[in-house]
Amino acid sequence: KLEKLQQQFQNSPDIALPYAMILFNLSTNQTGLKEREATVEKLQILHQQFPESPDIALQYAKILVNLSIEQTELKERKATAEKLEKLQQQFQDSPDIALPYAMILFNLSNKQTELNKLETTAKKLQELHEHEPFQESEEIAFIYGVFLTSLFNHQTDSDERLQTTETIKNLY
């Protein structure tokens, strides 16, 4: 019913936001990848209609994280992370968007096996953590710390491991 209202009043942010929230909630109950992708696409279109709305962007960010959990292929997960990265760049100072971005980077790292790819992801998490509005975010620091622990396990060079250990110590 809300979808029909949204189609009828396409320029109304007052209808778009509840519709975005329902799409996100729907995605949490969807177990199939194709189902979830279809819901993500609807929310992506809604975000494109209201690109300046941080509230709709938040729903889009959260649904992208949900999608990444279902994705089993690195290529798919990377593409989803890139969508959220663009969203985070658009809303650079929003902690509401930064946290899902950190989460999706962590989800991405779980599929990465090459050290250089993991290091690239580590750099993105580090930049996010060091960005002024998020330096005090315990959630982002925690995700970054857990990620670094995983990175440590892939490192073979003792200097790299020492540097990673020092970074973890500084976080806590």
Side-chain angles (χ1 to χ4, degrees):
K1 291 180 180 180
L2 196 52
E3 183 175 16
K4 287 181 183 178
L5 271 176
Q6 170 56 31
Q7 290 170 352
Q8 187 177 355
F9 300 100
Q10 292 182 7
N11 296 325
S12 172
D14 295 333
I15 294 174
L17 180 57
Y19 180 49
M21 295 168 84
I22 284 176
L23 288 173
F24 168 72
N25 289 337
L26 175 64
S27 76
T28 63
N29 295 319
Q30 294 173 320
T31 55
L33 180 61
K34 294 294 180 199
E35 247 185 332
R36 202 169 275 186
E37 286 174 336
T39 306
V40 167
E41 189 174 323
K42 288 178 182 180
L43 192 41
Q44 180 178 2
I45 290 167
L46 199 60
H47 168 64
Q48 289 168 348
Q49 285 180 287
F50 300 94
E52 301 304 316
S53 169
D55 297 324
I56 292 173
L58 173 60
Q59 301 307 312
Y60 183 45
K62 294 187 316 185
I63 204 171
L64 288 173
V65 172
N66 281 355
L67 177 62
S68 74
I69 293 167
E70 292 295 320
Q71 294 173 318
T72 57
E73 300 295 321
L74 174 61
K75 186 177 176 182
E76 294 173 326
R77 208 173 268 192
K78 185 176 187 295
T80 303
E82 287 171 354
K83 289 178 183 179
L84 189 42
E85 182 175 20
K86 287 178 186 171
L87 199 60
Q88 200 281 322
Q89 289 169 353
Q90 182 182 355
F91 296 94
Q92 290 181 19
D93 295 334
S94 169
D96 294 332
I97 303 294
L99 184 57
Y101 180 53
M103 295 167 108
I104 208 166
L105 288 174
F106 183 79
N107 289 348
L108 175 63
S109 74
N110 289 328
K111 292 289 179 192
Q112 294 174 318
T113 55
E114 297 175 31
L115 183 59
N116 64 333
K117 302 288 186 198
L118 284 163
E119 288 172 340
T120 299
T121 303
K123 185 168 176 41
K124 289 178 181 183
L125 268 170
Q126 178 183 2
E127 288 170 357
L128 185 66
H129 171 67
E130 291 176 351
H131 187 57
E132 173 64 43
F134 315 128
Q135 290 174 358
E136 300 299 318
S137 169
E138 292 179 18
E139 294 94 346
I140 292 173
F142 177 75
I143 291 168
Y144 183 41
V146 172
F147 173 82
L148 288 173
T149 304
S150 175
L151 176 64
F152 180 89
N153 292 329
H154 288 85
Q155 293 173 323
T156 55
D157 183 70
S158 61
D159 288 340
E160 288 176 335
R161 285 182 151 205
L162 183 61
Q163 182 179 358
T164 300
T165 301
E166 285 302 314
T167 303
I168 293 170
K169 284 181 185 177
N170 291 334
L171 283 174
Y172 301 101

